[in-house]
Amino acid sequence: MTMGLLLDFFLVILALAAGWWTIGAKDSFGAAVAFVAYGLVLALIWVRIAAPDVALTEAAIGAGLTGGMLIGASTRLESAKQATRAGGVTRRLAIALSALVAAALALAVLGLPHPPPSLAAAAMAALPPTGLGNPVTGVLLAYRAVDTLLEKVVLILALLGTWSLAPDRLWGGRPGRKERRNAASPLTLLGQVLPPIGIVIGLHILWVGANEPGGAFQGGTILAAMWMLAVMAGLVDVPAISRTWLRLLVVAGPGLFLIVGLAGFVVAGGFLAYPPGFAKPLILLVEVVLTLSVAAILLLLLAGPPEREPPR
Amino acid sequence: MNAEVLFGLAGAVLAGLGLYGLVADPAPLRKLLAFNLLGGGVFLVFGVVARRGAAAGLGGDPVPQALVITGLVVAFAATALAVALLRLLFERTGQTLLDTAAQERTSPDQADG
Amino acid sequence: MMAPALPDMPTAGGFLLVLAIMLPIAGVLLQFMLGGRQAERIALLVMPAGLAVAVAVTAALMLSGRPLVYHLGNLAPPLGLALRADGFSALMLMTTALIVSAIGLFARADFATPTGTVEARAPFVFWTLLLALWGALAVVFLGQDLFTLYVGLELLTFGAVPLVSLDGRAETLTAALRYLLFALFGSALFLAGTVLFYGEYGTLDIALLATRTHPDTTSAIAVAMMTAGLLAKTALFPFHLWLPPAHAGAPAPASALLSSLVVKGPFFLVVRLWFGAMPGLTDLPAAQLLGALGAGAVLFGSVLALCQPRLKPLIAYSTVAQLGYLFLMFPLAGGVGLPASVRMAVWTGGAVQAVSHAFAKAAMFAGAGLIGQALGHDRISGLRGVGRALPVTTFAVAFAGLSLMGLPPSGGFMAKWLLVRASIATAQWWWAALVFAGGLLAGGYIFRIIAPALSAPEKPLPAIRTPARRREVVVLALALISVLLGVVPFGLTTLLAVGNPTIAHIVPR
Amino acid sequence: MSESLLVAAPALPLVLAVACLWRPLREWAGGLLILAPVPALAAALVVRRSSVVTLQHGLVPITFALDVPGAMLLGVSALLWIAAGAYACLRRCGQPLGGQAVVCWLLTLCGSVGVFIAADMASFFMAYALVSLPAWGLVVLDDTERAHRAGAIYVAFAVLGETLLLIGFALLAAAGDSLLIRDALAALPHSPWRGMTLALLIAGFGMKIALIPLHVWMPPTYRAAPISVAAVLSGAAVKAGVIGLIRFLPLGTVLPGAGEALAAVGLFGAFYGVAIGVTQEHPKTILAYSSVSQMGVIAAVLGMGLGAGDGGAATAVAFYGAQHVLVKGALFLAVGVAATNSRRQLWRVIVPAAVLALGLGGLPLTGGALAKLAVKGVLGGGIVGMLANLSAAASTLLMIHFVHRLAGSSAVEDAAGGRELALPWLLLAAAAVAIPWLLFPLATGGSRLAALHPVSIWASLWPVLIGAGLALLRRQFERRLPRFPEGDLLALGKYAMPAAMRIGEASERLEAGLSRWPVASLLLLAAALLLGGGILIAR
């Protein structure tokens, strides 16, 4: 057994333990914390299976945003009346059936064919016309661009759904409560120091995404995190949801993507096709705007529905 | 036993754990956690598929990798919406039970609008 | 190895498919950006344009007799993504365009931005989600890539859930949460199957999968997981726990969309999966299982509809029941050596059932909304006298009921007739008996609405708010379409045969 | 030209029904009710027999055709519709009819006309549904508790009948692979599903003609419906079932088992209807039971025809039915007209009504006697023929009872309306006497003189005399007669209700379980496993 495989075993055990804890923890808070750990271990596993783009995303979204959001929810809902635990029969049946489905999944995985089919070669062969160096970015922004576009619309719908939960009279107002600014708090210091660094890192991740692991979503996540930090430190406030610039920021990414796609009809002979020679600059432009939109959407999703009176 | 098989089986077991939580845990927040756990397992299987497809000088097939990224974003969006619903439900009723809807069909007239 | 057959090459007019998806999506983005009253205006502008695109797609299919195919970014599958419209897609696209437009016109009175307000919550959310659902359905009906379809399904769910809780009552919040969580459960299963398909065949394109799949262990598990996930999302019995509270609790125009269109999306994908990606499954006992669940839905949903004290839950349970008929397609269309005429009967029967139920159910929920607004409640025991107060609406609801009962000349009748014919031809008696029982039970629950509505009120009705005539006419038009589908089938068989290899060769052009 | 009448006959009522959704047009509704059946009457008179019209529009071509049985029933039904329409609007004394009444009336008329001329299964089924279902709106017109109860029963049986026929037709279509009734029928004797198909068709049409025990809807319905509605339902609408049996039973083929079974059920009904009928009080209920009895005779004739492979039974039955259309329609109108006359002038109604009523028992020289003569050949002279004669005696008994009740029932109901109501009634009564004489040669191919032969007169007289004797006996035992509720066996329904409630409650309990998250989600996992297993095992 090689060192590598040993490390893999170790990671798997960690992931299973974190997963077990997520399900079995007594309270929701513990479970949410375990879930963050689970996400981080998964991110390491993604590195181990040569998927650094996914690893970054898993760390940022899976562990970071999702985990943070669930931890926040678990503290909020702490006092919620608990339902009685499922009865013994239900649990035994659940164990049996989940195990069977898991076994079926395992069986299916073991049954995957040799040699495995792969689009890696095709993806690499199609890459030069786009001018990109990272095939994952090629898939996301060129080969399967429509998935990425629709995924942004999914995010906007989730945002709309979140906002729709506001009471009518608060519609158009700011989400969340106003954080008090406390000059002495370490949070404020962090809020002042970190964002500039974070923004640089975020933009860097976006930029290198063309050729190295990284890209719009990972960059946007970091920008959103910095923004959130500044909000929590009371340095800035979450904008009111009726702000035109905010709405514009949210739709700018997918909107531009769509416009570029439609322009493809005219200049490149097809929807979401890029004209030869202009592919890379266009993709980068789209990515920059997408990053900003993603940052805004993520921040707003974290902030929740409007809770303050709208500006008059 | 190689790394791919190991991670593939791990993905299946994690998915099973998630399924169990989704079925048996009565608290919606825990179901949400379980859903994300389940998603992680499924994505991991996809990662194994990508890894198996390593070719052309790449460590893995980039297509499944990209799909996992999209999938993670969609799962996050789902979680965000569910958390917002949960929070509002809790603020309104002080509880977040799912299995009360069965009794609600006998609730008084709705003012539909 | 032979090159793939012709239908998978891009065709002229394929750009229409891009428009069919992107027009509503662009509308959503614009609505979100401009907000307020503009959201409604944009929706009203997109409606005729989208309708025109749907008509153009249908016309292109009818004229050429070939499916429309488009390769996004000029890149062919497996690396690129394809959009494809066969006859069934075009039919569902057309249905969606008509119903969304009708419900849009109907909902203007419910979701007008009040004067003096720049933007109001419910109207903004409704109009945006109206177009979002349209776009999502277009993705589901046209997408050829299983992962794109997964994203489309998620779009559909995220568009539908906020509509359920639009009025913010606590019980609708619970309903929305149940809906969302169960739908996510389904998504996870669907995604797991998708992953396995990619791992086994290296593509997610349905047309390519159709040439590559073989029923080995991995594929069987993949199909089973995907199907189960889709069943959860389409609320087939006994996975319907989320549907009645969600569809009964949403505002009437939203209920109409959810019950008529949204649940058809996942069903459509089950058809794609079983007849497209993995042909041959319908010979197997698994198809009988799908049929059996459908039968359970018909019987159980109908009996529960008979038990409901209120109108909207009754209609919601009727949806549970009517969805069941759709799943008779699977056991009936299978069988090696089945005559093509029987296959065609099954396809036409299933498609007509999907479409006529969509129109009938949209009419019923919209009509129930008008009745609820006029009376201030929707207790069935309190419906007496409605026929006098709202004759057009009552008439429309009765007509829609005709289609649900499967009486001639409605589309529902045509569907049942074809399904019964197929069940006789394949010697599967039990499905004919089911249609028999389902028709009787449907007659019962429709009668429960119509009988009191047409009788005189015990005491004069309190001041009734008469709805605008325009709204009543919309409801009537929806009901009439569902009834006339049986008499004027609009070239349905010709359309359905386009791009459907199992029946294409027997339909004369 | 004459063929286009065939299309206009069902089309005009349909068009008028749609047009009547426009409120101002309904002001003239009375005139429309009289006008709407006119093309049908004209078609019956002018259109050449065996002409066929095919409209190639919808998914299936619509084919209309007219043969002798169809034409006879079409003509007399149209007459009844005109007379009843006139009665309905005269009774309203200038008040406009309600929209529900007009639209439902016209739709039922459309179906009633359509069933006689439809030559393919699709349009027949469509017409059959039209003649059955919209009539519900007519039954409940009085908007009383009784009317709504009757309406619910009516609709339940109508839908049940429709559904039975849907499956029966599907089987028939599968046998012949053609939607033309003629082709499908030709293939039926060789169909592997012959027995099942016949059973479903007989049950489906039997629902309409009140074959025992499917008759229970008829008495409460006729009792609760307004006079004019009861007249068209009992006269014209019921004949949809008769024409259905004529069209869909393979009368040219010898099918002894099915035929004798049908004949037995029919004959039983012929006596059963009378037996229950004589215990009833209300004239309309008595007429309903008389219909049960008369339709029993028709079923018996068809059964014998089927058993013997006698194709001529169709025309004989149609003639019998045509006679019944006019007589029963006229008798129902008589109930209404009687109510508007003072006791002193009641004889003006009673005397003609008595002649018509006794005609149903076969009183010589009446249409009834001709009808019995026409079916004699099919019934044969054996035990069946004897029983048929006895049923005529029984009918006489029932009709004497009816006349007696009619005489004792001034101001029963429908008291409104003037003397002019008598006009449509008298015209219909006159037609009921005259038309059978006109049609007799057409129906039997024989001469009218045959009916005037003393042997024939005696053959139809003696059952009437026996019936009269029985009527005297009945008067003697008036007090000792048991009382049956309207719809007799319907009373058994009270045992079915708790069972239905229990099913409902059990379903709701099951639903409460299925609505629980763990249950539904476990079932989902189980379904996934079963589906996968199902695919794998069969591989």
Side-chain angles (χ1 to χ4, degrees):
Chain A
M1 189 180 275
T2 63
M3 264 323 271
L5 200 55
L6 208 59
L7 177 60
D8 291 344
F9 257 116
F10 181 63
L11 286 175
V12 163
I13 287 165
L14 276 184
L16 290 178
W20 187 269
W21 187 17
T22 307
I23 297 302
K26 280 239 155 38
D27 56 346
S28 306
F29 181 78
V33 170
F35 178 75
V36 174
Y38 169 74
L40 291 173
V41 176
L42 274 190
L44 289 176
I45 293 181
W46 285 108
V47 174
R48 288 289 304 155
I49 52 180
D53 294 271
V54 186
L56 269 178
T57 317
E58 177 74 52
I61 310 279
L65 284 182
T66 309
M69 184 171 256
L70 288 169
I71 288 179
S74 71
T75 53
R76 279 245 191 174
L77 306 182
E78 208 167 12
S79 61
K81 203 167 63 191
Q82 285 305 309
T84 44
R85 268 182 69 196
V89 180
T90 308
R91 267 183 296 135
R92 271 194 286 275
L93 271 174
I95 290 172
L97 290 183
S98 316
L100 277 174
V101 174
L105 195 56
L107 201 64
V109 171
L110 294 176
L112 289 177
H114 288 282
S118 170
L119 290 176
M124 284 311 277
L127 207 51
T130 64
L132 297 169
N134 180 355
V136 176
T137 307
V139 176
L140 284 174
L141 272 300
Y143 316 151
R144 303 183 63 104
V146 82
D147 282 357
T148 311
L149 177 57
L150 292 175
E151 164 220 289
K152 298 300 180 284
V153 182
V154 168
L155 279 174
I156 292 180
L157 290 192
L159 182 58
L160 190 64
T162 307
W163 286 358
S164 80
L165 299 172
D168 280 327
R169 69 190 165 80
L170 299 184
W171 182 257
R174 290 174 191 267
R177 293 184 200 89
K178 173 98 176 91
E179 300 293 339
R180 295 265 300 284
R181 184 172 177 177
N182 182 353
S185 145
L187 196 61
T188 309
L189 186 67
L190 271 180
Q192 280 163 333
V193 174
L194 269 185
I197 306 172
I199 290 170
V200 171
I201 296 177
L203 290 179
H204 175 74
I205 285 187
L206 158 69
W207 181 252
V208 301
N211 296 315
E212 314 273 334
F217 211 90
Q218 299 88 329
T221 311
I222 293 178
L223 290 189
M226 294 306 116
W227 197 346
M228 199 65 212
L229 193 62
V231 167
M232 281 159 65
L235 296 171
V236 294
D237 202 352
V238 185
I241 65 160
S242 58
R243 294 270 173 242
T244 310
W245 66 265
L246 185 73
R247 299 278 180 92
L248 187 61
L249 188 60
V250 165
V251 300
L256 179 71
F257 207 167
L258 185 56
I259 291 168
V260 169
L262 289 173
F265 269 135
V266 185
V267 297
F271 181 71
L272 285 170
Y274 301 102
F278 292 92
K280 188 169 183 186
L282 272 176
I283 289 175
L284 281 182
L285 177 67
V286 168
E287 278 216 281
V288 169
V289 184
L290 272 182
T291 307
L292 297 177
S293 291
V294 164
I297 295 171
L298 294 183
L299 175 83
L300 291 167
L301 279 176
L302 287 172
E307 289 177 38
R308 285 176 273 171
E309 293 279 343
R312 291 288 163 204
Chain B
M1 167 80 71
N2 57 23
E4 282 130 43
V5 173
L6 177 65
F7 288 137
L9 294 181
V13 174
L14 288 171
L17 272 174
L19 281 175
Y20 170 76
L22 204 46
V23 172
D25 204 313
L29 184 64
R30 300 295 291 270
K31 285 191 199 303
L32 204 53
L33 277 159
F35 162 72
N36 276 292
L37 185 68
L38 165 61
V42 172
F43 290 139
L44 186 54
V45 174
F46 218 0
V48 168
V49 166
R51 178 65 178 157
R52 283 163 48 90
L58 294 176
D61 185 346
V63 174
Q65 293 182 359
L67 296 186
V68 170
I69 293 177
T70 307
L72 278 167
V73 176
V74 171
F76 168 72
T79 308
L81 183 57
V83 163
L85 269 168
L86 260 176
R87 277 172 50 172
L88 184 61
L89 185 63
F90 172 64
E91 278 167 27
R92 287 284 172 79
T93 64
Q95 50 85 15
T96 58
L97 302 181
L98 274 186
D99 277 344
T100 52
Q103 293 99 50
E104 266 161 23
R105 279 195 295 281
T106 52
S107 71
D109 307 335
Q110 53 158 52
D112 156 53
Chain C
M1 191 160 148
M2 291 275 291
L6 264 180
D8 299 318
M9 292 289 114
T11 54
F15 71 94
L16 286 170
L17 308 183
V18 175
L19 289 187
I21 295 173
M22 289 305 159
L23 208 60
I25 298 285
V28 170
L29 297 178
L30 277 175
Q31 283 172 315
F32 195 89
M33 187 169 79
L34 300 175
R37 245 168 272 283
Q38 304 301 328
E40 180 179 348
R41 281 192 200 129
I42 292 165
L44 293 177
L45 281 176
V46 170
M47 274 153 37
L51 201 52
V53 171
V55 170
V57 169
T58 311
L61 257 66
M62 293 289 268
L63 290 177
S64 72
R66 301 250 302 278
L68 286 182
V69 178
Y70 191 81
H71 289 168
L72 291 159
N74 291 336
L75 197 62
L79 191 59
L81 299 176
L83 301 176
R84 179 171 182 270
D86 59 13
F88 198 14
S89 320
L91 181 65
M92 295 309 289
L93 207 58
M94 195 72 201
T95 306
T96 306
L98 281 171
I99 290 179
V100 166
S101 302
I103 294 300
L105 291 179
F106 175 82
R108 288 189 70 190
D110 292 328
F111 294 107
T113 309
T115 43
T117 323
V118 180
E119 184 175 279
R121 183 189 64 93
F124 175 69
V125 174
F126 176 81
W127 292 110
T128 314
L129 292 183
L130 180 72
L131 289 192
L133 286 181
W134 192 353
L137 285 165
V139 173
V140 167
F141 296 143
L142 300 175
Q144 269 292 87
D145 184 276
L146 290 178
F147 192 81
T148 308
L149 291 171
Y150 164 76
V151 179
L153 278 177
E154 295 303 86
L155 267 180
L156 200 58
T157 306
F158 289 23
V161 168
L163 284 177
V164 171
S165 59
L166 200 53
D167 67 5
R169 285 174 297 128
E171 67 259 32
T172 65
L173 288 175
T174 315
L177 191 62
R178 272 158 83 92
Y179 181 10
L180 178 60
L181 286 177
F182 209 69
L184 290 178
F185 193 173
S187 306
L189 290 175
F190 183 84
L191 193 64
T194 310
V195 166
L196 295 177
F197 260 148
Y198 187 90
E200 172 125 27
Y201 303 111
T203 181
L204 293 174
D205 184 81
I206 289 177
L208 287 178
L209 281 174
T211 62
R212 296 183 189 180
T213 45
H214 42 86
D216 63 352
T217 312
T218 305
S219 307
I221 292 168
V223 164
M225 285 185 146
M226 294 175 89
T227 307
L230 291 169
L231 297 188
K233 282 179 170 256
T234 200
L236 180 64
F237 169 88
F239 321 120
H240 62 279
L241 80 165
W242 58 267
L243 189 147
H247 288 194
S255 304
L257 290 172
L258 297 175
S259 240
S260 64
L261 296 173
V262 171
V263 286
K264 303 284 166 34
F267 158 73
F268 184 88
L269 292 188
V270 183
V271 173
R272 273 277 180 274
L273 201 59
W274 282 57
F275 293 97
M278 215 160 152
L281 286 178
T282 42
D283 307 344
L284 307 177
Q288 291 286 334
L289 177 62
L290 284 187
L293 295 181
V298 170
L299 297 177
F300 190 70
S302 302
V303 170
L304 276 162
L306 275 168
C307 298
Q308 297 307 308
R310 282 175 34 216
L311 187 52
K312 284 183 81 181
L314 184 153
I315 305 175
Y317 274 107
S318 148
T319 299
V320 172
Q322 296 283 326
L323 284 171
Y325 289 112
L326 297 175
F327 284 84
L328 299 191
M329 274 179 85
F330 299 95
L332 288 176
V336 186
L338 192 65
S341 64
V342 177
R343 278 211 179 105
M344 196 180 78
V346 177
W347 271 93
T348 317
V352 172
Q353 168 68 14
V355 173
S356 73
H357 172 253
F359 282 105
K361 204 39 76 68
M364 278 221 141
F365 263 124
L370 291 182
I371 291 172
Q373 277 176 351
L375 296 180
H377 70 84
D378 73 342
R379 283 187 311 272
I380 291 170
S381 58
L383 287 182
R384 297 186 64 136
V386 165
R388 310 270 160 89
L390 307 176
V392 180
T393 305
T394 310
F395 189 65
V397 169
F399 253 45
L402 207 65
S403 191
L404 295 184
M405 290 161 72
L407 288 172
S410 66
F413 163 71
M414 186 55 72
K416 286 183 178 173
W417 167 256
L418 291 167
L419 291 174
V420 168
R421 287 285 310 269
S423 73
I424 291 167
T426 54
Q428 302 184 58
W429 291 95
W430 44 97
W431 306 129
L434 171 76
V435 171
F436 174 80
L440 289 184
L441 290 169
Y445 64 71
I446 298 300
F447 186 75
R448 281 192 63 211
I449 307 175
I450 301 303
L454 286 186
S455 55
E458 281 152 342
K459 52 181 189 294
L461 291 174
I464 279 209
R465 283 178 292 159
T466 322
R469 178 47 59 94
R470 187 157 27 93
R471 307 186 77 196
E472 292 200 291
V473 168
V474 170
V475 180
L476 185 61
L478 286 168
L480 281 179
I481 294 179
S482 88
V483 168
L484 291 180
L485 266 171
V487 215
V488 193
F490 307 111
L492 213 59
T493 36
T494 322
L495 180 61
L496 278 173
V498 175
N500 185 335
T502 58
I503 57 174
H505 54 284
I506 60 157
V507 175
R509 292 198 51 82
Chain D
M1 165 56 205
S2 75
E3 269 82 11
S4 61
L5 270 178
L6 219 46
V7 179
L12 182 67
L14 193 61
V15 170
L16 289 178
V18 175
C20 274
L21 295 177
W22 188 46
R23 203 178 293 268
L25 196 64
R26 260 181 261 151
E27 301 283 315
W28 304 326
L32 297 183
L33 295 196
I34 298 168
L35 175 70
V38 170
L41 184 58
L45 293 176
V46 246
V47 174
R48 271 180 297 115
R49 306 295 166 246
S50 76
S51 52
V52 176
V53 185
T54 301
L55 304 172
Q56 187 85 35
H57 282 308
L59 191 66
V60 284
I62 293 176
T63 310
F64 292 139
L66 200 59
D67 54 4
V68 172
M72 279 196 287
L73 286 167
L74 178 67
V76 294
S77 296
L79 262 182
L80 171 58
W81 278 101
I82 293 174
Y87 178 93
C89 61
L90 287 174
R91 205 188 78 72
R92 282 283 163 155
C93 319
Q95 297 252 320
L97 292 153
Q100 180 186 334
V102 176
V103 172
C104 290
W105 182 283
L106 290 171
L107 289 177
T108 311
L109 167 60
C110 170
S112 170
V113 169
V115 287
F116 297 130
I117 58 173
D120 65 288
M121 280 187 255
S123 40
F124 185 92
F125 195 75
M126 176 66 222
Y128 194 83
L130 273 178
V131 73
S132 304
L133 293 165
W136 171 74
L138 300 174
V139 173
V140 299
L141 267 185
D142 281 351
D143 209 0
T144 56
E145 195 58 40
R146 177 194 290 278
H148 284 291
R149 184 170 165 273
I153 296 164
Y154 175 80
V155 120
F157 275 85
V159 172
L160 182 58
E162 290 285 318
T163 319
L164 287 168
L165 284 181
L166 170 72
I167 312 233
F169 279 20
L171 283 170
L172 200 54
D177 212 23
S178 161
L179 283 181
L180 277 185
I181 297 173
R182 191 168 23 111
D183 300 349
L185 216 51
L188 180 62
H190 318 292
S191 160
W193 315 292
R194 189 180 69 195
M196 185 75 179
T197 314
L198 280 176
L200 284 167
L201 290 175
I202 289 175
F205 290 124
M207 202 78 77
K208 187 106 233 152
I209 65 165
L211 214 55
I212 310 289
L214 307 173
H215 67 289
V216 293
W217 61 272
M218 199 180 247
T221 302
Y222 291 177
R223 169 71 197 279
I227 291 286
S228 51
V229 171
V232 289
L233 288 186
S234 67
V238 164
K239 300 306 175 295
V242 175
I243 195 77
L245 288 173
I246 290 177
R247 291 259 188 273
F248 286 92
L249 290 182
L251 289 172
T253 318
V254 188
L255 289 173
E260 276 148 22
L262 180 58
V265 174
L267 277 175
F268 179 70
F271 291 101
Y272 184 86
V274 171
I276 306 288
V278 291
T279 68
Q280 299 296 318
E281 296 287 320
H282 197 286
K284 281 159 87 184
T285 318
I286 299 170
L287 285 181
Y289 276 106
S290 156
S291 282
V292 172
S293 168
Q294 291 292 310
M295 292 301 115
V297 174
I298 283 188
V301 177
L302 281 167
M304 292 311 287
L306 188 62
D310 180 358
T315 320
V317 163
F319 179 67
Y320 197 103
Q323 175 265 145
H324 184 257
V325 168
L326 295 169
V327 171
K328 199 44 73 64
L331 287 179
F332 266 108
L333 292 191
V335 176
V337 175
T340 64
N341 279 278
S342 65
R343 277 220 174 268
R344 268 224 324 246
Q345 292 169 330
L346 203 55
W347 63 270
R348 296 185 189 175
V349 187
I350 297 296
V351 171
V355 173
L356 290 179
L358 289 177
L360 284 180
L363 186 67
L365 308 184
T366 61
L370 293 179
K372 299 223 184 301
L373 194 58
V375 298
K376 208 181 191 93
V378 184
L379 288 172
I383 177 104
V384 177
M386 193 45 148
L387 285 172
N389 280 330
L390 287 179
S391 89
S395 274
T396 307
L397 161 67
L398 185 59
M399 283 300 104
I400 291 174
H401 175 52
F402 164 71
V403 173
H404 179 63
R405 292 303 311 166
L406 185 67
S409 71
S410 70
V412 200
E413 52 192 76
D414 278 38
R419 302 284 298 275
E420 67 272 19
L421 276 181
L423 187 67
W425 175 64
L426 280 175
L427 284 176
L428 196 62
V433 174
I435 288 182
W437 285 100
L438 294 176
L439 293 180
F440 186 72
L442 185 68
T444 58
S447 155
R448 294 185 186 99
L449 288 175
L452 296 173
H453 195 277
V455 175
S456 311
I457 290 190
W458 171 246
S460 41
L461 188 60
W462 68 260
V464 175
L465 293 177
I466 293 179
L470 287 172
L472 285 174
L473 265 178
R474 187 199 169 280
R475 291 291 293 273
Q476 291 297 311
F477 295 101
E478 177 86 54
R479 299 276 174 79
R480 318 248 298 264
L481 284 176
R483 292 275 172 265
F484 292 102
E486 281 168 15
D488 50 283
L489 296 176
L490 204 56
L492 297 178
K494 70 170 186 270
Y495 298 107
M497 273 314 276
M501 298 297 277
R502 270 200 299 280
I503 293 177
E505 282 160 16
S507 302
E508 284 191 317
R509 272 197 304 278
L510 180 59
E511 172 68 356
L514 290 175
S515 302
R516 289 180 54 233
W517 177 284
V519 179
S521 50
L522 280 174
L523 285 170
L524 187 62
L525 291 186
L529 290 166
L530 281 176
L531 280 170
I535 297 169
L536 279 179
I537 287 167
R539 176 162 54 104

